[in-house]
Amino acid sequence: MEEILTTIKKQNRLKRFGLALFSLTISALLYNVFLLPLNIVSGGVSGVATITNHLYHIDPSLMIFLLSAACSLISLLYLGIEQTASTIAASIIYPLLVKLTAPIATMIPIETTDVFTIVIFSGVLSGIASGLFYKSGYVNCGFPVICKVLYENFKIAISKSTLIINIIVVIFGGIFFGSLNAMYAAILLYISSI
């Protein structure tokens, strides 16, 4: 009986990991094919990576990795190893997927005259990818870890701190890429959160 339960747990773990990997791949593709080429800063570590890529030509996957690693370290210090373990996995896998899917952006010609349609499409797919990731039971890497630390230590609602962090990142994106891109980013964030 124990062998059966162990086998079921392994299959469940493998299924959850596959779901998380699939959702992270969708997110990496969306970032490379739509968001980065259009300079749409939709918040989070990816948004910061878009800004630093524009200003300093830092590889986005490297910046995503560095920021995610820093957030994982904060998680380790404040939340412990158990809650940090899946964050560490996502902190390594997502930047790797961003790096691996970057060449696809040059292979897929995207019509960029209708940015609004791209934003809606990206928002819907981003929301689906996020939902699948959370359904997998893994913890997202990056700034959501900071939000969880703020909740655990100061009882600041995760939704409130996430909104504030994303607004700050979008405002900086608006400073560097213009107010129209900031409005597109706000629309994308709203659609992906529905």
Side-chain angles (χ1 to χ4, degrees):
M1 184 66 169
E2 282 185 38
E3 290 178 23
I4 295 172
L5 291 174
T6 304
T7 304
I8 291 171
K9 284 181 182 178
K10 285 181 183 177
Q11 289 175 345
N12 187 29
R13 192 177 310 137
L14 186 61
K15 182 180 174 184
R16 288 177 44 230
F17 180 76
L19 190 60
L21 187 62
F22 177 71
S23 67
L24 289 173
T25 304
I26 291 172
S27 295
L29 283 168
L30 282 172
Y31 178 74
N32 281 316
V33 174
F34 298 115
L35 303 181
L36 184 62
L38 294 172
N39 292 322
I40 296 176
V41 178
S42 62
V45 295
S46 298
V48 175
T50 300
I51 294 169
T52 57
N53 178 260
H54 173 74
L55 294 176
Y56 307 111
H57 306 289
I58 297 172
D59 183 346
S61 61
L62 175 63
M63 183 54 67
I64 291 168
F65 173 73
L66 292 174
L67 290 171
S68 297
C71 291
S72 293
L73 181 62
I74 292 169
S75 174
L76 184 62
L77 294 171
Y78 287 97
L79 301 175
I81 189 68
E82 189 175 311
Q83 291 188 39
T84 306
S86 63
T87 300
I88 292 171
S91 296
I92 295 168
I93 294 170
Y94 180 65
L96 181 63
L97 288 170
V98 168
K99 185 70 172 175
L100 293 174
T101 59
I104 294 174
T106 58
M107 293 183 229
I108 301 174
I110 299 297
E111 179 63 45
T112 58
T113 55
D114 189 3
V115 178
F116 188 69
T117 301
I118 292 172
V119 166
I120 292 171
F121 179 75
S122 298
V124 169
L125 282 182
S126 178
I128 291 169
S130 294
L132 290 174
F133 188 80
Y134 290 123
K135 185 176 182 179
S136 74
Y138 285 90
V139 178
N140 206 346
C141 60
F143 295 146
V145 173
I146 302 298
C147 298
K148 185 157 182 148
V149 168
L150 290 172
Y151 176 74
E152 294 286 330
N153 291 290
F154 304 105
K155 300 302 178 209
I156 298 171
I158 291 175
S159 59
K160 187 181 289 187
S161 58
T162 300
L163 179 64
I164 291 169
I165 289 172
N166 284 334
I167 286 173
I168 291 168
V169 174
V170 168
I171 287 171
F172 275 101
I175 291 168
F176 295 110
F177 301 116
S179 59
L180 185 60
N181 271 26
M183 287 187 270
Y184 284 139
I187 293 168
L188 190 145
L189 280 171
Y190 176 74
I191 290 171
S192 67
S193 67
I194 295 177

PDB file of all heavy atoms in Angstrom, residues 45 60-77 84 86-95 140-146:
ATOM      1  N   VAL A  45       9.969  41.422 -12.113  1.00  0.00           N
ATOM      2  CA  VAL A  45      11.380  41.386 -12.468  1.00  0.00           C
ATOM      3  C   VAL A  45      11.577  41.461 -13.981  1.00  0.00           C
ATOM      4  O   VAL A  45      12.576  42.002 -14.452  1.00  0.00           O
ATOM      5  CB  VAL A  45      12.106  40.162 -11.868  1.00  0.00           C
ATOM      6  CG1 VAL A  45      12.135  40.218 -10.365  1.00  0.00           C
ATOM      7  CG2 VAL A  45      11.505  38.868 -12.338  1.00  0.00           C
ATOM      8  N   PRO A  60      18.397  40.440 -20.553  1.00  0.00           N
ATOM      9  CA  PRO A  60      17.225  40.318 -19.674  1.00  0.00           C
ATOM     10  C   PRO A  60      17.219  39.049 -18.824  1.00  0.00           C
ATOM     11  O   PRO A  60      16.837  39.093 -17.652  1.00  0.00           O
ATOM     12  CB  PRO A  60      16.038  40.332 -20.637  1.00  0.00           C
ATOM     13  CG  PRO A  60      16.541  41.032 -21.838  1.00  0.00           C
ATOM     14  CD  PRO A  60      18.002  40.689 -21.936  1.00  0.00           C
ATOM     15  N   SER A  61      17.670  37.934 -19.401  1.00  0.00           N
ATOM     16  CA  SER A  61      17.665  36.691 -18.624  1.00  0.00           C
ATOM     17  C   SER A  61      18.623  36.787 -17.436  1.00  0.00           C
ATOM     18  O   SER A  61      18.329  36.262 -16.358  1.00  0.00           O
ATOM     19  CB  SER A  61      18.019  35.491 -19.506  1.00  0.00           C
ATOM     20  OG  SER A  61      19.314  35.623 -20.051  1.00  0.00           O
ATOM     21  N   LEU A  62      19.748  37.472 -17.618  1.00  0.00           N
ATOM     22  CA  LEU A  62      20.689  37.655 -16.516  1.00  0.00           C
ATOM     23  C   LEU A  62      20.072  38.531 -15.423  1.00  0.00           C
ATOM     24  O   LEU A  62      20.167  38.208 -14.230  1.00  0.00           O
ATOM     25  CB  LEU A  62      21.999  38.276 -17.017  1.00  0.00           C
ATOM     26  CG  LEU A  62      23.026  38.618 -15.941  1.00  0.00           C
ATOM     27  CD1 LEU A  62      23.492  37.365 -15.220  1.00  0.00           C
ATOM     28  CD2 LEU A  62      24.204  39.370 -16.556  1.00  0.00           C
ATOM     29  N   MET A  63      19.429  39.626 -15.813  1.00  0.00           N
ATOM     30  CA  MET A  63      18.823  40.510 -14.820  1.00  0.00           C
ATOM     31  C   MET A  63      17.681  39.802 -14.082  1.00  0.00           C
ATOM     32  O   MET A  63      17.549  39.937 -12.865  1.00  0.00           O
ATOM     33  CB  MET A  63      18.317  41.790 -15.485  1.00  0.00           C
ATOM     34  CG  MET A  63      17.748  42.789 -14.499  1.00  0.00           C
ATOM     35  SD  MET A  63      18.840  43.231 -13.124  1.00  0.00           S
ATOM     36  CE  MET A  63      20.134  44.097 -13.957  1.00  0.00           C
ATOM     37  N   ILE A  64      16.881  39.043 -14.814  1.00  0.00           N
ATOM     38  CA  ILE A  64      15.791  38.287 -14.175  1.00  0.00           C
ATOM     39  C   ILE A  64      16.375  37.301 -13.167  1.00  0.00           C
ATOM     40  O   ILE A  64      15.870  37.163 -12.050  1.00  0.00           O
ATOM     41  CB  ILE A  64      14.921  37.563 -15.232  1.00  0.00           C
ATOM     42  CG1 ILE A  64      14.133  38.585 -16.049  1.00  0.00           C
ATOM     43  CG2 ILE A  64      13.983  36.554 -14.571  1.00  0.00           C
ATOM     44  CD1 ILE A  64      13.468  38.011 -17.283  1.00  0.00           C
ATOM     45  N   PHE A  65      17.455  36.625 -13.562  1.00  0.00           N
ATOM     46  CA  PHE A  65      18.092  35.678 -12.648  1.00  0.00           C
ATOM     47  C   PHE A  65      18.630  36.376 -11.403  1.00  0.00           C
ATOM     48  O   PHE A  65      18.407  35.914 -10.274  1.00  0.00           O
ATOM     49  CB  PHE A  65      19.226  34.917 -13.348  1.00  0.00           C
ATOM     50  CG  PHE A  65      20.011  34.057 -12.417  1.00  0.00           C
ATOM     51  CD1 PHE A  65      19.477  32.879 -11.915  1.00  0.00           C
ATOM     52  CD2 PHE A  65      21.278  34.440 -11.999  1.00  0.00           C
ATOM     53  CE1 PHE A  65      20.189  32.097 -11.020  1.00  0.00           C
ATOM     54  CE2 PHE A  65      21.998  33.658 -11.108  1.00  0.00           C
ATOM     55  CZ  PHE A  65      21.454  32.486 -10.621  1.00  0.00           C
ATOM     56  N   LEU A  66      19.335  37.493 -11.579  1.00  0.00           N
ATOM     57  CA  LEU A  66      19.929  38.195 -10.433  1.00  0.00           C
ATOM     58  C   LEU A  66      18.855  38.703  -9.471  1.00  0.00           C
ATOM     59  O   LEU A  66      18.989  38.539  -8.249  1.00  0.00           O
ATOM     60  CB  LEU A  66      20.800  39.355 -10.918  1.00  0.00           C
ATOM     61  CG  LEU A  66      22.077  38.958 -11.665  1.00  0.00           C
ATOM     62  CD1 LEU A  66      22.771  40.191 -12.225  1.00  0.00           C
ATOM     63  CD2 LEU A  66      23.013  38.161 -10.774  1.00  0.00           C
ATOM     64  N   LEU A  67      17.801  39.305 -10.015  1.00  0.00           N
ATOM     65  CA  LEU A  67      16.727  39.807  -9.154  1.00  0.00           C
ATOM     66  C   LEU A  67      15.982  38.664  -8.462  1.00  0.00           C
ATOM     67  O   LEU A  67      15.653  38.748  -7.272  1.00  0.00           O
ATOM     68  CB  LEU A  67      15.755  40.666  -9.957  1.00  0.00           C
ATOM     69  CG  LEU A  67      16.291  42.012 -10.435  1.00  0.00           C
ATOM     70  CD1 LEU A  67      15.315  42.655 -11.406  1.00  0.00           C
ATOM     71  CD2 LEU A  67      16.570  42.925  -9.256  1.00  0.00           C
ATOM     72  N   SER A  68      15.726  37.590  -9.205  1.00  0.00           N
ATOM     73  CA  SER A  68      15.037  36.438  -8.623  1.00  0.00           C
ATOM     74  C   SER A  68      15.887  35.771  -7.548  1.00  0.00           C
ATOM     75  O   SER A  68      15.372  35.347  -6.511  1.00  0.00           O
ATOM     76  CB  SER A  68      14.682  35.423  -9.711  1.00  0.00           C
ATOM     77  OG  SER A  68      13.779  35.984 -10.630  1.00  0.00           O
ATOM     78  N   ALA A  69      17.197  35.691  -7.790  1.00  0.00           N
ATOM     79  CA  ALA A  69      18.094  35.099  -6.795  1.00  0.00           C
ATOM     80  C   ALA A  69      18.114  35.949  -5.523  1.00  0.00           C
ATOM     81  O   ALA A  69      18.094  35.407  -4.411  1.00  0.00           O
ATOM     82  CB  ALA A  69      19.499  34.951  -7.371  1.00  0.00           C
ATOM     83  N   ALA A  70      18.142  37.264  -5.694  1.00  0.00           N
ATOM     84  CA  ALA A  70      18.120  38.155  -4.528  1.00  0.00           C
ATOM     85  C   ALA A  70      16.820  37.984  -3.748  1.00  0.00           C
ATOM     86  O   ALA A  70      16.826  37.924  -2.511  1.00  0.00           O
ATOM     87  CB  ALA A  70      18.291  39.602  -4.971  1.00  0.00           C
ATOM     88  N   CYS A  71      15.707  37.884  -4.470  1.00  0.00           N
ATOM     89  CA  CYS A  71      14.411  37.683  -3.800  1.00  0.00           C
ATOM     90  C   CYS A  71      14.360  36.320  -3.107  1.00  0.00           C
ATOM     91  O   CYS A  71      13.792  36.196  -2.012  1.00  0.00           O
ATOM     92  CB  CYS A  71      13.273  37.824  -4.807  1.00  0.00           C
ATOM     93  SG  CYS A  71      13.059  39.500  -5.415  1.00  0.00           S
ATOM     94  N   SER A  72      14.972  35.311  -3.717  1.00  0.00           N
ATOM     95  CA  SER A  72      15.017  33.984  -3.085  1.00  0.00           C
ATOM     96  C   SER A  72      15.850  34.017  -1.811  1.00  0.00           C
ATOM     97  O   SER A  72      15.514  33.352  -0.823  1.00  0.00           O
ATOM     98  CB  SER A  72      15.595  32.950  -4.052  1.00  0.00           C
ATOM     99  OG  SER A  72      14.712  32.748  -5.123  1.00  0.00           O
ATOM    100  N   LEU A  73      16.926  34.786  -1.821  1.00  0.00           N
ATOM    101  CA  LEU A  73      17.749  34.932  -0.623  1.00  0.00           C
ATOM    102  C   LEU A  73      16.950  35.597   0.506  1.00  0.00           C
ATOM    103  O   LEU A  73      16.996  35.151   1.654  1.00  0.00           O
ATOM    104  CB  LEU A  73      19.010  35.739  -0.932  1.00  0.00           C
ATOM    105  CG  LEU A  73      19.972  35.947   0.226  1.00  0.00           C
ATOM    106  CD1 LEU A  73      20.504  34.618   0.740  1.00  0.00           C
ATOM    107  CD2 LEU A  73      21.115  36.846  -0.191  1.00  0.00           C
ATOM    108  N   ILE A  74      16.190  36.620   0.152  1.00  0.00           N
ATOM    109  CA  ILE A  74      15.320  37.280   1.135  1.00  0.00           C
ATOM    110  C   ILE A  74      14.281  36.286   1.660  1.00  0.00           C
ATOM    111  O   ILE A  74      14.013  36.228   2.860  1.00  0.00           O
ATOM    112  CB  ILE A  74      14.660  38.531   0.529  1.00  0.00           C
ATOM    113  CG1 ILE A  74      15.727  39.597   0.272  1.00  0.00           C
ATOM    114  CG2 ILE A  74      13.554  39.068   1.428  1.00  0.00           C
ATOM    115  CD1 ILE A  74      15.257  40.759  -0.563  1.00  0.00           C
ATOM    116  N   SER A  75      13.745  35.479   0.762  1.00  0.00           N
ATOM    117  CA  SER A  75      12.773  34.461   1.166  1.00  0.00           C
ATOM    118  C   SER A  75      13.406  33.460   2.123  1.00  0.00           C
ATOM    119  O   SER A  75      12.802  33.072   3.131  1.00  0.00           O
ATOM    120  CB  SER A  75      12.232  33.734  -0.063  1.00  0.00           C
ATOM    121  OG  SER A  75      11.389  32.663   0.304  1.00  0.00           O
ATOM    122  N   LEU A  76      14.610  33.045   1.831  1.00  0.00           N
ATOM    123  CA  LEU A  76      15.310  32.096   2.692  1.00  0.00           C
ATOM    124  C   LEU A  76      15.511  32.679   4.092  1.00  0.00           C
ATOM    125  O   LEU A  76      15.304  32.002   5.098  1.00  0.00           O
ATOM    126  CB  LEU A  76      16.649  31.716   2.067  1.00  0.00           C
ATOM    127  CG  LEU A  76      17.467  30.662   2.792  1.00  0.00           C
ATOM    128  CD1 LEU A  76      16.712  29.344   2.857  1.00  0.00           C
ATOM    129  CD2 LEU A  76      18.802  30.488   2.099  1.00  0.00           C
ATOM    130  N   LEU A  77      15.876  33.956   4.137  1.00  0.00           N
ATOM    131  CA  LEU A  77      16.122  34.605   5.421  1.00  0.00           C
ATOM    132  C   LEU A  77      14.849  34.783   6.245  1.00  0.00           C
ATOM    133  O   LEU A  77      14.859  34.633   7.462  1.00  0.00           O
ATOM    134  CB  LEU A  77      16.786  35.966   5.212  1.00  0.00           C
ATOM    135  CG  LEU A  77      18.204  35.940   4.636  1.00  0.00           C
ATOM    136  CD1 LEU A  77      18.659  37.349   4.286  1.00  0.00           C
ATOM    137  CD2 LEU A  77      19.162  35.282   5.613  1.00  0.00           C
ATOM    138  N   THR A  84      10.991  28.411   0.492  1.00  0.00           N
ATOM    139  CA  THR A  84      11.900  28.970  -0.506  1.00  0.00           C
ATOM    140  C   THR A  84      12.285  27.958  -1.579  1.00  0.00           C
ATOM    141  O   THR A  84      12.670  28.352  -2.677  1.00  0.00           O
ATOM    142  CB  THR A  84      13.175  29.509   0.191  1.00  0.00           C
ATOM    143  OG1 THR A  84      12.778  30.425   1.207  1.00  0.00           O
ATOM    144  CG2 THR A  84      14.093  30.217  -0.765  1.00  0.00           C
ATOM    145  N   SER A  86      10.763  25.927  -3.750  1.00  0.00           N
ATOM    146  CA  SER A  86      10.176  26.029  -5.091  1.00  0.00           C
ATOM    147  C   SER A  86      10.492  27.373  -5.731  1.00  0.00           C
ATOM    148  O   SER A  86      10.557  27.487  -6.949  1.00  0.00           O
ATOM    149  CB  SER A  86       8.665  25.803  -5.041  1.00  0.00           C
ATOM    150  OG  SER A  86       8.037  26.811  -4.277  1.00  0.00           O
ATOM    151  N   THR A  87      10.720  28.399  -4.917  1.00  0.00           N
ATOM    152  CA  THR A  87      11.114  29.698  -5.445  1.00  0.00           C
ATOM    153  C   THR A  87      12.485  29.612  -6.098  1.00  0.00           C
ATOM    154  O   THR A  87      12.713  30.192  -7.157  1.00  0.00           O
ATOM    155  CB  THR A  87      11.144  30.743  -4.309  1.00  0.00           C
ATOM    156  OG1 THR A  87       9.854  30.820  -3.739  1.00  0.00           O
ATOM    157  CG2 THR A  87      11.559  32.093  -4.801  1.00  0.00           C
ATOM    158  N   ILE A  88      13.382  28.855  -5.469  1.00  0.00           N
ATOM    159  CA  ILE A  88      14.729  28.691  -6.026  1.00  0.00           C
ATOM    160  C   ILE A  88      14.650  27.994  -7.381  1.00  0.00           C
ATOM    161  O   ILE A  88      15.321  28.396  -8.333  1.00  0.00           O
ATOM    162  CB  ILE A  88      15.635  27.921  -5.043  1.00  0.00           C
ATOM    163  CG1 ILE A  88      15.889  28.782  -3.799  1.00  0.00           C
ATOM    164  CG2 ILE A  88      16.941  27.511  -5.692  1.00  0.00           C
ATOM    165  CD1 ILE A  88      16.581  28.066  -2.669  1.00  0.00           C
ATOM    166  N   ALA A  89      13.810  26.974  -7.477  1.00  0.00           N
ATOM    167  CA  ALA A  89      13.655  26.266  -8.750  1.00  0.00           C
ATOM    168  C   ALA A  89      13.164  27.216  -9.839  1.00  0.00           C
ATOM    169  O   ALA A  89      13.720  27.264 -10.939  1.00  0.00           O
ATOM    170  CB  ALA A  89      12.692  25.096  -8.585  1.00  0.00           C
ATOM    171  N   ALA A  90      12.147  28.005  -9.541  1.00  0.00           N
ATOM    172  CA  ALA A  90      11.608  28.948 -10.521  1.00  0.00           C
ATOM    173  C   ALA A  90      12.619  30.053 -10.850  1.00  0.00           C
ATOM    174  O   ALA A  90      12.675  30.537 -11.975  1.00  0.00           O
ATOM    175  CB  ALA A  90      10.307  29.558 -10.013  1.00  0.00           C
ATOM    176  N   SER A  91      13.450  30.434  -9.863  1.00  0.00           N
ATOM    177  CA  SER A  91      14.462  31.471 -10.070  1.00  0.00           C
ATOM    178  C   SER A  91      15.543  31.034 -11.044  1.00  0.00           C
ATOM    179  O   SER A  91      16.201  31.869 -11.665  1.00  0.00           O
ATOM    180  CB  SER A  91      15.128  31.844  -8.741  1.00  0.00           C
ATOM    181  OG  SER A  91      14.205  32.407  -7.864  1.00  0.00           O
ATOM    182  N   ILE A  92      15.723  29.754 -11.169  1.00  0.00           N
ATOM    183  CA  ILE A  92      16.710  29.225 -12.120  1.00  0.00           C
ATOM    184  C   ILE A  92      16.045  28.905 -13.457  1.00  0.00           C
ATOM    185  O   ILE A  92      16.566  29.247 -14.520  1.00  0.00           O
ATOM    186  CB  ILE A  92      17.392  27.968 -11.531  1.00  0.00           C
ATOM    187  CG1 ILE A  92      18.200  28.354 -10.292  1.00  0.00           C
ATOM    188  CG2 ILE A  92      18.272  27.282 -12.567  1.00  0.00           C
ATOM    189  CD1 ILE A  92      18.677  27.188  -9.467  1.00  0.00           C
ATOM    190  N   ILE A  93      14.893  28.271 -13.411  1.00  0.00           N
ATOM    191  CA  ILE A  93      14.245  27.797 -14.637  1.00  0.00           C
ATOM    192  C   ILE A  93      13.730  28.950 -15.495  1.00  0.00           C
ATOM    193  O   ILE A  93      13.946  28.959 -16.711  1.00  0.00           O
ATOM    194  CB  ILE A  93      13.109  26.803 -14.299  1.00  0.00           C
ATOM    195  CG1 ILE A  93      13.706  25.538 -13.689  1.00  0.00           C
ATOM    196  CG2 ILE A  93      12.285  26.474 -15.531  1.00  0.00           C
ATOM    197  CD1 ILE A  93      12.699  24.582 -13.108  1.00  0.00           C
ATOM    198  N   TYR A  94      13.051  29.939 -14.901  1.00  0.00           N
ATOM    199  CA  TYR A  94      12.464  31.009 -15.714  1.00  0.00           C
ATOM    200  C   TYR A  94      13.520  31.813 -16.481  1.00  0.00           C
ATOM    201  O   TYR A  94      13.390  31.984 -17.698  1.00  0.00           O
ATOM    202  CB  TYR A  94      11.572  31.922 -14.875  1.00  0.00           C
ATOM    203  CG  TYR A  94      10.949  33.026 -15.695  1.00  0.00           C
ATOM    204  CD1 TYR A  94      10.031  32.730 -16.701  1.00  0.00           C
ATOM    205  CD2 TYR A  94      11.292  34.356 -15.497  1.00  0.00           C
ATOM    206  CE1 TYR A  94       9.467  33.728 -17.486  1.00  0.00           C
ATOM    207  CE2 TYR A  94      10.732  35.357 -16.269  1.00  0.00           C
ATOM    208  CZ  TYR A  94       9.822  35.036 -17.255  1.00  0.00           C
ATOM    209  OH  TYR A  94       9.279  36.022 -18.033  1.00  0.00           O
ATOM    210  N   PRO A  95      14.595  32.284 -15.850  1.00  0.00           N
ATOM    211  CA  PRO A  95      15.605  33.008 -16.637  1.00  0.00           C
ATOM    212  C   PRO A  95      16.243  32.136 -17.717  1.00  0.00           C
ATOM    213  O   PRO A  95      16.560  32.612 -18.810  1.00  0.00           O
ATOM    214  CB  PRO A  95      16.649  33.439 -15.606  1.00  0.00           C
ATOM    215  CG  PRO A  95      16.012  33.295 -14.296  1.00  0.00           C
ATOM    216  CD  PRO A  95      14.906  32.307 -14.432  1.00  0.00           C
ATOM    217  N   ASN A 140       5.973  31.476  -7.187  1.00  0.00           N
ATOM    218  CA  ASN A 140       6.595  32.254  -8.246  1.00  0.00           C
ATOM    219  C   ASN A 140       7.858  32.937  -7.745  1.00  0.00           C
ATOM    220  O   ASN A 140       7.955  33.322  -6.592  1.00  0.00           O
ATOM    221  CB  ASN A 140       5.599  33.298  -8.757  1.00  0.00           C
ATOM    222  CG  ASN A 140       5.864  33.697 -10.179  1.00  0.00           C
ATOM    223  OD1 ASN A 140       6.914  33.410 -10.733  1.00  0.00           O
ATOM    224  ND2 ASN A 140       4.909  34.362 -10.774  1.00  0.00           N
ATOM    225  N   CYS A 141       8.807  33.094  -8.639  1.00  0.00           N
ATOM    226  CA  CYS A 141      10.053  33.759  -8.268  1.00  0.00           C
ATOM    227  C   CYS A 141       9.902  35.273  -8.443  1.00  0.00           C
ATOM    228  O   CYS A 141       8.944  35.752  -9.018  1.00  0.00           O
ATOM    229  CB  CYS A 141      11.199  33.253  -9.142  1.00  0.00           C
ATOM    230  SG  CYS A 141      10.977  33.531 -10.908  1.00  0.00           S
ATOM    231  N   GLY A 142      10.856  35.999  -7.920  1.00  0.00           N
ATOM    232  CA  GLY A 142      10.851  37.445  -8.104  1.00  0.00           C
ATOM    233  C   GLY A 142      10.114  38.179  -7.005  1.00  0.00           C
ATOM    234  O   GLY A 142      10.091  37.768  -5.848  1.00  0.00           O
ATOM    235  N   PHE A 143       9.469  39.279  -7.397  1.00  0.00           N
ATOM    236  CA  PHE A 143       8.844  40.173  -6.424  1.00  0.00           C
ATOM    237  C   PHE A 143       7.679  39.565  -5.642  1.00  0.00           C
ATOM    238  O   PHE A 143       7.416  40.012  -4.528  1.00  0.00           O
ATOM    239  CB  PHE A 143       8.418  41.473  -7.103  1.00  0.00           C
ATOM    240  CG  PHE A 143       9.591  42.282  -7.610  1.00  0.00           C
ATOM    241  CD1 PHE A 143       9.478  43.029  -8.760  1.00  0.00           C
ATOM    242  CD2 PHE A 143      10.798  42.305  -6.933  1.00  0.00           C
ATOM    243  CE1 PHE A 143      10.549  43.785  -9.228  1.00  0.00           C
ATOM    244  CE2 PHE A 143      11.877  43.047  -7.390  1.00  0.00           C
ATOM    245  CZ  PHE A 143      11.747  43.786  -8.541  1.00  0.00           C
ATOM    246  N   PRO A 144       6.961  38.551  -6.156  1.00  0.00           N
ATOM    247  CA  PRO A 144       5.933  37.937  -5.312  1.00  0.00           C
ATOM    248  C   PRO A 144       6.488  37.389  -3.992  1.00  0.00           C
ATOM    249  O   PRO A 144       5.785  37.339  -2.991  1.00  0.00           O
ATOM    250  CB  PRO A 144       5.370  36.816  -6.187  1.00  0.00           C
ATOM    251  CG  PRO A 144       5.541  37.329  -7.575  1.00  0.00           C
ATOM    252  CD  PRO A 144       6.859  38.061  -7.544  1.00  0.00           C
ATOM    253  N   VAL A 145       7.756  37.013  -3.992  1.00  0.00           N
ATOM    254  CA  VAL A 145       8.393  36.544  -2.760  1.00  0.00           C
ATOM    255  C   VAL A 145       8.473  37.688  -1.756  1.00  0.00           C
ATOM    256  O   VAL A 145       8.201  37.513  -0.561  1.00  0.00           O
ATOM    257  CB  VAL A 145       9.802  35.986  -3.067  1.00  0.00           C
ATOM    258  CG1 VAL A 145      10.552  35.663  -1.787  1.00  0.00           C
ATOM    259  CG2 VAL A 145       9.703  34.764  -3.948  1.00  0.00           C
ATOM    260  N   ILE A 146       8.834  38.879  -2.242  1.00  0.00           N
ATOM    261  CA  ILE A 146       8.901  40.058  -1.377  1.00  0.00           C
ATOM    262  C   ILE A 146       7.509  40.333  -0.785  1.00  0.00           C
ATOM    263  O   ILE A 146       7.381  40.647   0.401  1.00  0.00           O
ATOM    264  CB  ILE A 146       9.409  41.292  -2.156  1.00  0.00           C
ATOM    265  CG1 ILE A 146      10.784  41.017  -2.765  1.00  0.00           C
ATOM    266  CG2 ILE A 146       9.428  42.532  -1.279  1.00  0.00           C
ATOM    267  CD1 ILE A 146      11.878  40.735  -1.785  1.00  0.00           C
TER     268      ILE A 146
END
